[in-house]
Amino acid sequence: MTEIFASLGPACAQADILEKMFLEGMTGIRLNLSHSGLKESEPLIQNFQKAANRTGVAAEFLIDMQGPEIRIGELPGPLQLMEMEELVFSAGTKAVSCNEAGGVIPVSEQVLRALETGDRVLLDDGRLELVITSVSGKVTARVLRGGLLQSKKSLKIVNKQIPGPVLTRQDMENIALAKDYGVTALMQPFVTKGEQLLQVKRELQKRQLGHIRIFAKIENREGMEHITDILPYADMIVIARGDLGNDMPLWKLPAAQKMISELCRREGKPFLIVTQLLASMVQSPFPTRAEVSDIFHAVLDGAAAVMVTNETAVGKYPLQVMQYLKKTVAEAENYAAAGQYKLSL
């Protein structure tokens, strides 16, 4: 049976909503720990556990780690980036002003040193795009694709890899609390080699948490190129189409997903498909035809699990999302199982 994960957030924070989502077919929940910790998320976790107990579901609790992803620092408040506007990248973890050249975005010294004139910079999973216009005296950039920028959003310099720690201090703190909060699986971001997973595994074993499954997120071309080195150390491969789609022309993404899917099937390694499965349902009670077709074919390709993110974390219709996701998955499973498929309406 295909595992069905939702993401925990304000939209599905109440125990009664989560209970209904379990009854509709949800088998587990993902908690994004990029910006917060297990302790800070305790009320959400308690509601998730209460709902699972009420429905009798042995639910998976999956934590999505901070990992080596590069992020901006803290802003004084949300920063609206307008196309063709000029702004400044500065060194530090916090910006104290948003007045200079339209805005100041704090980044680590490592990122600042890596920036060169002409570099394209993607922010917030590629939603915002800038180009570096000068690195003389200060690093300035022009906005190519604007929008609202919040603190601690992801940053990627196109065609450049900036190494970060496999486990951040925040990750270590969350692993130390994992047993207390009933964590059953862990998602490791931006995996590019097997040694990274070994480091995570050693940390889990040191804390008697060897039972926790490790999900390896493939989020760039480097991860794809070293997938055979990663496979032996992962319990599940995650085809994370958000950042993976930022690291290549978007029209190449379907082939990348197919390639990873086929390799995982051949090697007998379970894989999970995530990102924008039902993105339109953040605002709409109904999905698009393309979205349900995408889910159907992901399951036919052998996905052991599917996951929605913003659709249930912040979307308007988390229960309807789960209904469409489960029914589409079930239809694909029936199609795969039947020697001669019969359409029933």
Side-chain angles (χ1 to χ4, degrees), residues 89 115-119 121 130-135 139-142:
F89 283 102
L115 290 170
E116 298 175 291
T117 302
D119 279 345
V121 179
L130 301 86
V131 61
I132 301 300
T133 53
S134 174
V135 294
V139 178
T140 60
R142 183 171 65 250

Side-chain angles (χ1 to χ4, degrees), residues 210-237:
H211 62 281
I212 289 181
R213 291 194 291 169
I214 298 176
F215 289 29
K217 295 173 79 173
I218 306 302
E219 303 189 77
N220 54 32
R221 284 174 291 183
E222 189 179 357
M224 286 186 61
E225 289 164 4
H226 296 94
I227 188 77
T228 54
D229 179 53
I230 294 167
L231 283 173
Y233 306 103
D235 295 297
M236 179 89 75
I237 293 293

